[in-house]
Every structure is written in C-alpha cells, then in structure tokens.
Amino acid sequence: MSKAIKLVAENFKSTYIALVEDDFPLCDGKWKEVLTVIFNANLRVPKHCGIFVGTGGSGLFIRKNKALVASNLLLKEESLEIPPDIILQNCLMGSGKGCEECTQTLVTSKVLLMYHIGYNTSTSPDRTYLKKDFQCGWRHPFNGDPSVITL
C-alpha cells in the first residue's frame, strides 16, 4: 500500500489519493454526495489533510501533500503492530510524525457513503460486526468526534 500511495503521489497530478478497498463499494446513488463532501471540505476547511466517507481503510481521500508522509508512516517498524487503515486514519487526525498539522482538520461525511461487503472481517482482531452494522446511511463512526469536521 505504501508503494502504491508513493507512486501516485510522485507521478500523477491530483489533489487527493483515494483509498478504496475491493469490498467497500459506493452506496447506490451516492457519488454526487461524495463530490459534495469534497467540494465543501475545500470550501470550508481549505487546510484539511483528508476526507473520510467510509469505514476502515476505505473511502479515505488523502491530500496529495500528506500522501508521502502517510506512505512513510506505513513503513515504520512500530507500524507492524497497527493495521494500515488505522495508521492512515491516525495521521489524518494529526497523530504521527509529520501529521501534526492535520490535527482537527479531518473531514467526514455525516453518514457512511460506502458499504462493507466483508462486514465480518476486520484488520483489527478485536472487532467483529453484524451484516447490518456500519452500512449505507449509518452515522459515520467519527460523526460527533469534536476533533473531526463533519459535513
């Protein structure tokens, strides 16, 4: 994942690098809502580091200027104990060397705009979910966190 993020950040003109897992499709008819969240994030929180419209490591839109920092964090020896999706989320919330400027800038959607086909699997062994949990239209898990901006 680190190599893919670095490849895109160094070789393509873009504002964001989107991370989408193969078992997290976009909810039906929600592409316009994703674009609206991205537009409003740029308008209302111009210095944000990323946007999160899904759960886990999916639906993360990392600003290109933070992508290399995030990529390098994935390669740190201490990161072997932390799942990659959590490392990226933590960076976008301002935790991790080089991510400090991201504190209180992560933007999320109000509700989940992606659903999880593999609901019964997680990168964190202590997490288990039912089929109905964290699916389309559910309140985003970070919605209500005072360090996150929900649009």
Side-chain angles (χ1 to χ4, degrees):
M1 184 184 314
S2 176
K3 285 182 182 181
I5 292 170
K6 184 176 179 180
L7 174 79
V8 173
E10 292 179 341
N11 295 291
F12 296 93
K13 291 183 179 182
S14 65
T15 303
Y16 297 99
I17 295 172
L19 299 175
V20 181
E21 297 176 41
D22 62 350
D23 67 337
F24 279 87
L26 191 62
C27 300
D28 287 340
K30 294 300 179 183
W31 179 241
K32 185 176 179 184
E33 200 166 329
V34 170
L35 294 176
T36 300
V37 172
I38 292 169
F39 176 82
N40 285 327
N42 284 290
L43 190 65
R44 298 181 191 174
V45 193
K47 295 189 183 218
H48 71 277
C49 292
I51 300 167
F52 195 19
V53 299
T55 61
S58 205
L60 279 172
F61 293 80
I62 302 171
R63 282 248 192 202
K64 187 175 177 178
N65 66 345
K66 277 292 144 201
L68 291 175
V69 172
S71 172
N72 288 332
L73 285 174
L74 293 171
L75 298 175
K76 301 281 185 205
E77 191 171 308
E78 60 270 13
S79 73
L80 297 175
E81 297 177 19
I82 303 170
D85 56 328
I86 302 300
I87 292 169
L88 296 173
Q89 288 173 29
N90 288 345
C91 179
L92 294 179
M93 293 182 77
S95 177
K97 186 173 172 106
C99 300
E100 298 85 1
E101 71 185 72
C102 297
T103 302
Q104 296 189 317
T105 70
L106 177 63
V107 175
T108 66
S109 52
K110 291 178 183 173
V111 298
L112 295 175
L113 302 177
M114 302 176 84
Y115 64 96
H116 190 193
I117 293 170
Y119 65 89
N120 58 345
T121 61
S122 176
T123 57
S124 300
D126 60 329
R127 296 180 185 173
T128 57
Y129 304 103
L130 299 175
K131 187 174 185 175
K132 65 178 179 60
D133 293 343
F134 301 104
Q135 301 295 357
C136 294
W138 271 59
R139 183 176 156 269
H140 194 287
F142 290 178
N143 182 343
D145 184 324
S147 67
V148 173
I149 299 140
T150 301
L151 300 175

